[in-house]
Amino acid sequence: MHIHFLDPYRSGSSPVHAADARLKFVLTLAFILTASLTPPGAWPVYILLFALILSVEILSGLGVGYVLKRSLLALPFVLAALPLPFTVEGRTLFSLPLGGWMLTASLEGLARFVSVALKSWLSVQAAVVLAACTPFPDLLMAMRAIRIPRLLTAMFGLTWRYLFVLADEALRLMRARAARSGAETGAAPSASLRAGGSVAWRARVAGGMAGSLFLRAFERSDRIYAAMLSRGYDGEVRALPPPTFTAAHWLTLTLGLTLLALLLGFGLLFWG
Amino acid sequence: MLYSPAPMHIPDGFLSTLVAVVLWILSAGVIAYALRRVGKDLGERQVPLMGVLAAAIFAGQMLNFTVAGGTSGHLLGAALAAILLGPWAAIIVMTTVVSIQALIFQDGGLLALGGNLFNMAVIGVAVSYFVYTSVQKIARGQKWGVFVGGFAAAWLSIVVAALACALELALSGTSPANVAVPAMGGIHMLIGVGEGLITLGALAFLYAARRDLLHIGEAAPAGGRAVWVGGLLIALLLAVLSPLASAHPDGLEWVAEQKGFLDAAQEPLYNIIPDYLFPGVSNDALATILAGILGVLIVFGVALGVAYLRRKQMTDR
Amino acid sequence: MHHSIEIKDLSFTYPDGHPALQNVSLTIAPGEKVALVGPNGAGKSTLLLHLNGILSGQGSVRVCGLSVAKENLARVRAAVGLVFQNPDDQLFSPTVFDDVAYGPIYQGLEREEVERRVTSALAAVGMSGYAQRVSHHLSAGEKKRIAIATVLSMNPEVLVLDEPTAGLDPRARRGLIRLLGGLPMTMLVSTHDLAMARELLPRTVILDEGRVVADGPTEALLANAALLEAHGLEMP
């Protein structure tokens, strides 16, 4: 049993897939920064940003549905911004009598709320496209290229490699637990939710599984260390220098950043 | 879905740019310092050990257990990492875990990553380390110190990280402090119990199977005292700040506005285009509607254009 | 002409006091292919880890004329390619390319040379075209071949393998035996697969409880049922 579905990379041959990882990485960050800096209520800018990311999604051949589905992951967090319409002062939209209180929603507050939700939604889409169109090893190269410390990128690489191996192990542990935790036959369906004793006991079982996962990870790290040593590892992290960043790459990067800067300028000028 | 996002990972858009950037700078500073320190504690073994343990924490987060009525608890891991590896390595391990969650699974944003790192990798680890070592000192090496310290460290790390998260949202003007602080704090006092119990279970297993592993983190790490003090200060600060902030929900924004940084960048622009959404169109509502229609047209125009080009490209091949 | 491997009176005790090797002496000539057999816990893996300086006990270990000591470690590790039992431990990089390039990068080679080494090592194990693959998605047999490529790329004089056929299905095992048979370097293979030893490795050393209890032609040792049984082995 292998956990393929954990890896969000979707192979493809689109121009988005083919683009240099450094380019995609920097442009994604710039896109998210632009969305973040765009003032609340600057609807045309949000629409243009959406048009931009939507074009990239179509170009990538990922399927807009796939990206949109994954982008809903961040949705529950919108709850955190839900009080905004009621706490920001401004023109009254509607009032709700609530016990002794009067809950008043303002237009400005609503605009802030929708803006936060839109910023978040646009940013998640960009991150989804980046992860789905760029193999993680290429992302590592991009991170090395923008001078993220080598020790950290080496850690990212190792973690990503063993994430799948250990996720397999975790899955086997969970399957073993499931195989031994049936509810009594004839019990109500809800009983299976409570099967296996108290919450504390269940948590401790999960904890024991986590403990054995950690123990195996410790032991594995010893063997990996030996394997690294035997191929010359000396405590320093080394990697090949990234391939050259060509003039064409620079041009694309400049064009992309300029476009985002224009959008941002537009937003700041009229709504800032 | 095996991988469920935890409610503490802030997505992009929820932190104001200023708050996000300041938190990025703070986190980057601590992480850079931690990177320099880990070598001294773990030596050459650091890379494989931390890398595989980060993967184990990741996998450990899949080991969820039913709490009640369909909700489930699972591991964040900052306390376990701090107890097993000491503070500096734990900061690096949690940095790796939280970064990969953002990069690959979009669990938490990229611009917001600085804040998430600050909450989970810096605050979470510092508070865990402070609590665990303090209880250990009181217990004087007795068995209960490991378990009580482990549970308390895990619980408090979650609650304090959640409070920090709530304050950051309040500072960003996204969520008023009098709502965010009690809500985040309350939920995570419960979630923290789950974290505490799993951490306890893991420690009990390791205590029985390989007690020596529990001592790696204890071997007086270089600069461990600084983390201990840091953890204490953070815990105290948030304990004082959170109720204050929720009592005066506008307080944080007031501070921000007094300092003038919220509006500083935008001030001059107000003077150029006052009160207009669209230049030349004085009616707000009309301008908004116009902008909306124009926007929709642009979106569909661009999308259709790209789709057409893409299909043409595919058929040409 | 120096010997490929020259071990004299090697003893090693684990920190917990368990003696893993006791006065082991063993000499292997260049080009020789030797099987190292014995029951679990006999000290086979411990012995292999000494050839590369990952463990160091009392006694002398020389590899390709170099004493296995701190000042020689880099050269020793380039000269001896150690292939571990579990390829998931050996393949620790994100892609096959990164893994096969790891040794050459640490040898300080230039990019072009690293790429050349990777290409030829992958070709040698019949895995050309796998460079950009992710190790996690490979089969056990493929992982094993890549693991061998990760040391071939360092151009070793001696190849040391720990249980190369363990966990492989018959077809993958057959392919691996064919692959190993075609490699020219000196070889020391720790294994429970006596049928493979008979086919591939003319000389056999039996290790039990940390001591060398027999050393001779594979055919002769495998014909000695009493000897095999005394050390927990079975005739193939």
Side-chain angles (χ1 to χ4, degrees):
Chain A
M1 170 67 203
H2 277 318
I3 302 192
H4 290 283
F5 55 89
L6 259 181
D7 186 355
Y9 174 68
R10 301 289 206 85
S11 63
S13 57
S14 78
V16 184
H17 284 83
D20 189 278
R22 289 164 288 187
L23 208 56
K24 285 187 269 187
F25 193 68
V26 173
L27 286 178
T28 304
L29 291 181
F31 181 88
I32 293 173
L33 190 63
T34 306
S36 177
L37 283 169
T38 301
W43 310 124
V45 180
Y46 290 111
I47 291 168
L48 288 172
L49 285 172
F50 179 55
L52 193 61
I53 193 66
L54 191 65
S55 333
V56 176
E57 281 160 26
I58 296 169
L59 204 61
S60 71
L62 286 170
V64 175
Y66 170 80
V67 180
L68 293 188
K69 208 175 83 196
R70 280 196 65 104
S71 71
L72 293 182
L73 255 167
L75 195 64
F77 214 90
V78 166
L79 274 179
L82 210 53
L84 272 179
F86 306 102
T87 51
V88 174
E89 283 174 23
R91 282 163 293 175
T92 305
L93 199 62
F94 61 86
S95 291
L96 277 178
L98 201 79
W101 285 56
M102 195 57 131
L103 214 51
T104 311
S106 74
L107 198 61
E108 281 73 12
L110 188 66
R112 281 268 286 279
F113 171 74
V114 175
S115 299
V116 163
L118 278 177
K119 281 168 197 252
S120 167
W121 187 55
L122 290 169
S123 305
V124 174
Q125 288 184 59
V128 167
V129 173
L130 176 69
C133 293
T134 319
F136 191 69
D138 291 0
L139 273 184
L140 282 178
M141 183 274 287
M143 285 189 269
R144 277 198 300 271
I146 62 166
R147 304 292 149 84
I148 289 178
R150 283 216 209 123
L151 179 56
L152 216 49
T153 51
M155 291 274 302
F156 289 1
L158 262 171
T159 304
W160 185 76
R161 167 71 181 94
Y162 287 102
L163 169 60
F164 300 106
V165 176
L166 297 187
D168 278 346
E169 270 179 24
L171 208 62
R172 281 197 293 273
L173 284 169
M174 282 197 284
R175 206 174 296 136
R177 174 180 65 176
R180 277 178 291 162
S181 53
E184 210 147 343
T185 38
S190 65
S192 67
L193 278 178
R194 287 192 302 274
S198 68
V199 174
W201 185 81
R202 280 201 300 271
R204 288 204 54 166
V205 171
M209 283 159 51
S212 78
L213 207 61
F214 272 94
L215 183 54
R216 292 189 215 181
F218 265 111
E219 289 166 353
R220 187 185 287 278
S221 81
D222 271 337
R223 300 195 300 270
I224 294 167
Y225 180 49
M228 290 171 81
L229 283 180
S230 75
R231 279 191 269 156
Y233 174 69
D234 51 12
E236 197 172 307
V237 179
R238 285 177 216 165
L240 286 179
T244 42
F245 204 68
T246 61
H249 288 145
W250 281 114
L251 185 67
T252 322
L253 183 65
T254 314
L255 282 177
L257 290 179
T258 311
L259 180 60
L260 289 169
L262 283 176
L263 285 175
L264 182 60
F266 179 48
L268 287 177
L269 199 62
F270 293 108
W271 294 273
Chain B
M1 183 115 176
L2 271 168
Y3 188 80
S4 55
M8 213 194 291
H9 295 67
I10 308 171
D12 280 323
F14 287 82
L15 292 181
S16 71
T17 314
L18 187 76
V19 171
V21 169
V22 167
L23 290 172
W24 250 121
I25 293 169
L26 285 176
S27 302
V30 175
I31 292 164
Y33 187 73
L35 282 171
R36 289 231 314 271
R37 287 297 186 138
V38 274
K40 294 187 181 132
D41 295 341
L42 298 173
E44 293 179 357
R45 257 200 82 188
Q46 54 174 327
V47 173
L49 182 63
M50 294 191 299
V52 180
L53 274 190
I57 285 188
F58 228 119
Q61 293 178 338
M62 292 167 52
L63 301 171
N64 52 354
F65 61 95
T66 318
V67 175
T71 60
S72 60
H74 65 103
L75 192 70
L76 178 69
L80 207 48
I83 292 166
L84 292 177
L85 293 172
W88 302 118
I91 287 175
I92 303 302
V93 164
M94 289 310 292
T95 297
T96 305
V97 171
V98 174
S99 303
I100 290 186
Q101 282 170 336
L103 275 170
I104 303 193
F105 302 107
Q106 290 80 52
D107 194 4
L110 293 176
L111 187 58
L113 179 58
N116 288 326
L117 287 174
F118 191 71
N119 298 342
M120 289 177 268
V122 178
I123 292 186
V125 168
V127 168
S128 300
Y129 184 72
F130 156 69
V131 173
Y132 183 72
T133 46
S134 305
V135 175
Q136 287 285 80
K137 271 192 197 116
I138 298 166
R140 289 168 193 278
Q142 288 178 68
K143 190 178 166 188
W144 64 266
V146 173
F147 299 124
V148 173
F151 181 87
W155 184 79
L156 201 67
S157 73
I158 294 284
V159 174
V160 171
L163 289 178
C165 173
L167 289 178
E168 288 154 14
L169 291 174
L171 262 179
S172 299
T174 304
S175 204
N178 62 340
V179 179
V181 169
M184 286 292 279
I187 295 169
H188 286 88
M189 280 180 192
L190 282 175
I191 292 181
V193 173
E195 175 88 7
L197 288 172
I198 294 197
T199 304
L200 193 61
L203 287 175
F205 180 91
L206 291 172
Y207 193 88
R210 283 279 303 274
R211 198 183 303 184
D212 56 308
L213 292 183
L214 296 179
H215 298 310
I216 298 179
E218 285 169 23
R225 213 175 160 73
V227 185
W228 189 84
V229 174
L232 173 68
L233 286 181
I234 291 166
L236 280 180
L237 196 67
L238 286 169
V240 176
L241 207 57
S242 304
L244 265 181
S246 17
H248 309 281
D250 302 326
L252 288 172
E253 273 196 74
W254 181 80
V255 171
E257 273 164 26
Q258 284 299 302
K259 297 279 176 221
F261 49 56
L262 277 189
D263 296 315
Q266 298 151 11
E267 208 60 67
L269 295 170
Y270 270 118
N271 304 331
I272 304 171
I273 322 275
D275 296 327
Y276 295 121
L277 274 178
F278 249 38
V281 184
S282 55
N283 188 319
D284 272 11
L286 185 64
T288 311
I289 293 169
L290 271 180
I293 295 174
L294 194 65
V296 171
L297 286 177
I298 292 172
V299 169
F300 284 98
V302 173
L304 278 175
V306 174
Y308 172 76
L309 283 176
R310 171 97 183 124
R311 190 179 319 150
K312 193 156 172 285
Q313 191 186 23
M314 298 292 271
T315 46
D316 283 354
R317 244 177 235 172
Chain C
M1 185 73 199
H2 56 70
H3 289 295
S4 273
I5 294 176
E6 205 174 354
I7 301 171
K8 266 194 207 131
D9 291 326
L10 178 66
S11 297
F12 180 79
T13 306
Y14 275 104
D16 63 2
H18 164 70
L21 297 174
Q22 302 179 47
N23 298 314
V24 171
S25 292
L26 180 63
T27 304
I28 297 175
E32 231 183 330
K33 301 191 189 294
V34 182
L36 183 65
V37 304
N40 287 339
K44 302 191 295 290
S45 298
T46 308
L47 181 60
L48 298 189
L49 290 175
H50 277 83
L51 297 177
N52 211 314
I54 289 168
L55 295 179
S56 56
Q58 286 148 350
S60 113
V61 181
R62 294 177 72 81
V63 175
C64 303
L66 296 163
S67 160
V68 180
K70 206 164 177 70
E71 65 272 16
N72 288 335
L73 274 188
R75 283 158 75 201
V76 166
R77 283 170 181 169
V80 180
L82 192 51
V83 180
F84 290 80
Q85 178 174 353
N86 185 347
D88 270 333
D89 297 338
Q90 178 133 15
L91 306 180
F92 45 71
S93 307
T95 64
V96 167
F97 178 90
D98 294 335
D99 254 320
V100 181
Y102 192 90
I105 289 174
Y106 274 82
Q107 285 176 303
L109 302 176
E110 293 297 314
R111 170 185 277 280
E112 291 73 33
E113 178 61 13
V114 170
E115 281 169 0
R116 207 163 22 245
R117 294 277 190 98
V118 172
T119 310
S120 66
L122 286 177
V125 297
M127 298 292 283
S128 299
Y130 275 67
Q132 293 311 318
R133 295 281 289 271
V134 173
S135 314
H136 181 67
H137 299 325
L138 303 176
S139 74
E142 289 169 335
K143 281 184 194 168
K144 202 82 214 185
R145 286 164 173 267
I146 302 292
I148 293 172
T150 64
V151 302
L152 290 185
S153 63
M154 300 172 77
N155 283 347
E157 287 178 47
V158 183
L159 202 55
V160 176
L161 300 110
D162 197 356
E163 303 280 4
T165 53
L168 297 186
D169 66 22
R171 192 192 309 175
R173 174 179 173 274
R174 178 53 42 205
L176 189 79
I177 290 176
R178 209 172 293 138
L179 164 66
L180 292 179
L183 295 174
M185 51 283 278
T186 312
M187 227 177 257
L188 178 62
V189 182
S190 142
T191 188
H192 291 307
D193 186 347
L194 298 185
M196 174 193 65
R198 169 182 280 165
E199 203 176 322
L200 209 58
L201 310 158
R203 178 179 159 196
T204 291
V205 174
I206 300 181
L207 202 65
D208 197 3
E209 294 182 346
R211 295 170 198 278
V212 175
V213 293
D215 182 350
T218 303
E219 280 302 332
L221 293 188
L222 293 191
N224 188 341
L227 176 74
L228 291 180
E229 197 177 336
H231 300 291
L233 300 167
E234 243 177 30
M235 264 201 233

